[in-house]
Amino acid sequence: MPGKSKYTHIFFDLDNTLWDFEKNSYLAMNEAFKHFIKEPEVIFDVFFTVYTKYNDFLWNEYRNQQIVKKELILKRFRLTFDDLNINNVDPEQMNEFYLSEMPKQKFLNEGAFELLEYLKKKNYQLSIITNGFREVQFKKLGSSGLSGYFAKVFISEIVKTPKPGREIFEYAIKSTNAKKSKSLMVGDDWEVDILGAFNYGIDSIYYNRENSYTESKKMLKRSRENKIYLVNTLDEIKTIL
């Protein structure tokens, strides 16, 4: 069992915590753009910025269960096409191509493998809790070499509830026979990962990769019952565990 830590089970977010979603999605979308977009006046970086705006908005609606998966994957491209006057491109086909390119991108955040090796040697039970689509998330883990570190992978589409909903955390804890008091969530998204874990009643590590920790969050960190650790790099997690 782990030596200096009270924790036994560590639950990781995947995208932007271990797997570099921002870089990988940019590269995957560039491949899709070259394949589908023929208008010479459309610049890829502009396309990606517009797409990201709509995608972030729609993912927020999806997490709040205001739209379903089909609407998300169609509307994020359809709205982008309308905004940039792109015609004769099927949003569903471009989405499928984009998602097929995503797992081919293998960039991880700095220190990911080193951290997982460290935790594995200390016999922590490691699992993934991720929002996303099943056909993509499993492939990401496999192609990037991450899958061998995790005993279980909990994907919102399969569990049928996304983070920050307490249901997905409860499902993960029960499925791994973990105790809440000995469980720890690691993630980069304050609202989705950290407040989600807090509202369920487990400790967490906020991977503040963008160094955007606000004073109000510091106050919450000091005053709340459940412990919230703050790190700016994955390597710092070793000092906690």
Side-chain angles (χ1 to χ4, degrees):
M1 296 300 294
K4 63 181 179 180
S5 170
K6 71 171 185 175
Y7 304 107
T8 59
H9 290 70
I10 315 298
F11 298 88
F12 278 90
D13 170 55
L14 178 59
D15 293 331
N16 276 334
T17 298
L18 297 172
W19 194 81
D20 192 337
F21 180 85
E22 291 182 2
K23 181 180 289 186
N24 291 327
S25 63
Y26 182 90
L27 295 171
M29 187 62 77
N30 193 29
E31 292 301 315
F33 180 87
K34 289 186 292 186
H35 186 81
F36 285 96
I37 307 302
K38 307 305 178 186
E39 287 87 342
E41 67 276 8
V42 179
I43 300 170
F44 171 67
D45 281 347
V46 173
F47 177 91
F48 189 73
T49 298
V50 173
Y51 165 85
T52 300
K53 175 185 70 173
Y54 288 121
N55 186 55
D56 289 348
F57 172 77
L58 292 166
W59 262 103
N60 187 59
E61 290 201 323
Y62 180 74
R63 284 192 294 268
N64 293 325
Q65 300 181 331
Q66 296 172 308
I67 60 172
V68 297
K69 175 184 176 181
K70 183 78 170 179
E71 292 176 276
L72 167 59
I73 63 179
L74 290 177
K75 289 178 73 174
R76 61 185 181 180
F77 283 99
R78 181 74 276 157
L79 291 170
T80 303
F81 296 162
D82 290 345
D83 197 317
L84 297 175
N85 296 314
I86 296 172
N87 302 303
N88 303 317
V89 181
D90 186 315
E92 192 163 13
Q93 288 183 2
M94 189 163 181
N95 180 77
E96 289 178 2
F97 189 96
Y98 166 64
L99 292 183
S100 72
E101 289 294 318
M102 284 282 273
K104 299 177 185 178
Q105 318 307 320
K106 304 175 183 179
F107 285 99
L108 301 180
N109 285 334
E110 184 177 354
F113 276 131
E114 292 82 357
L115 173 61
L116 294 174
E117 279 292 326
Y118 170 87
L119 296 175
K120 184 178 180 181
K121 288 177 181 177
K122 286 185 167 286
N123 295 319
Y124 288 101
Q125 297 297 306
L126 307 180
S127 299
I128 290 283
I129 304 178
T130 176
N131 287 345
F133 305 140
R134 70 173 79 194
E135 68 269 26
V136 180
Q137 301 302 75
F138 282 121
K139 291 179 181 177
K140 287 179 186 176
L141 288 165
S143 65
S144 63
L146 291 174
S147 58
Y149 292 97
F150 299 100
K152 291 184 179 292
V153 177
F154 303 99
I155 300 176
S156 61
E157 186 184 9
I158 297 175
V159 180
K160 301 190 184 308
T161 182
K163 295 179 292 182
R166 62 179 286 118
E167 295 87 355
I168 193 168
F169 293 98
E170 182 176 24
Y171 185 89
I173 294 291
K174 290 182 177 179
S175 297
T176 54
N177 294 315
K179 292 183 178 180
K180 289 175 69 172
S181 62
K182 295 187 175 183
S183 298
L184 186 70
M185 179 70 200
V186 181
D188 72 292
D189 191 304
W190 178 263
E191 301 291 335
V192 174
D193 299 314
I194 307 310
L195 290 187
F198 168 76
N199 289 331
Y200 178 59
I202 61 176
D203 293 357
S204 60
I205 296 177
Y206 178 38
Y207 173 33
N208 184 31
R209 62 199 295 270
E210 308 250 329
N211 198 24
S212 58
Y213 202 58
T214 66
E215 190 62 34
S216 62
K217 293 171 187 174
K218 290 179 183 178
M219 291 173 61
L220 179 61
K221 177 173 177 281
R222 288 195 298 266
S223 63
R224 296 299 193 181
E225 179 179 342
N226 292 108
K227 181 74 174 175
I228 300 174
Y229 303 91
L230 172 66
V231 300
N232 297 118
T233 67
L234 292 178
D235 189 63
E236 290 177 63
I237 294 175
K238 297 176 187 176
T239 66
I240 299 169
L241 300 172

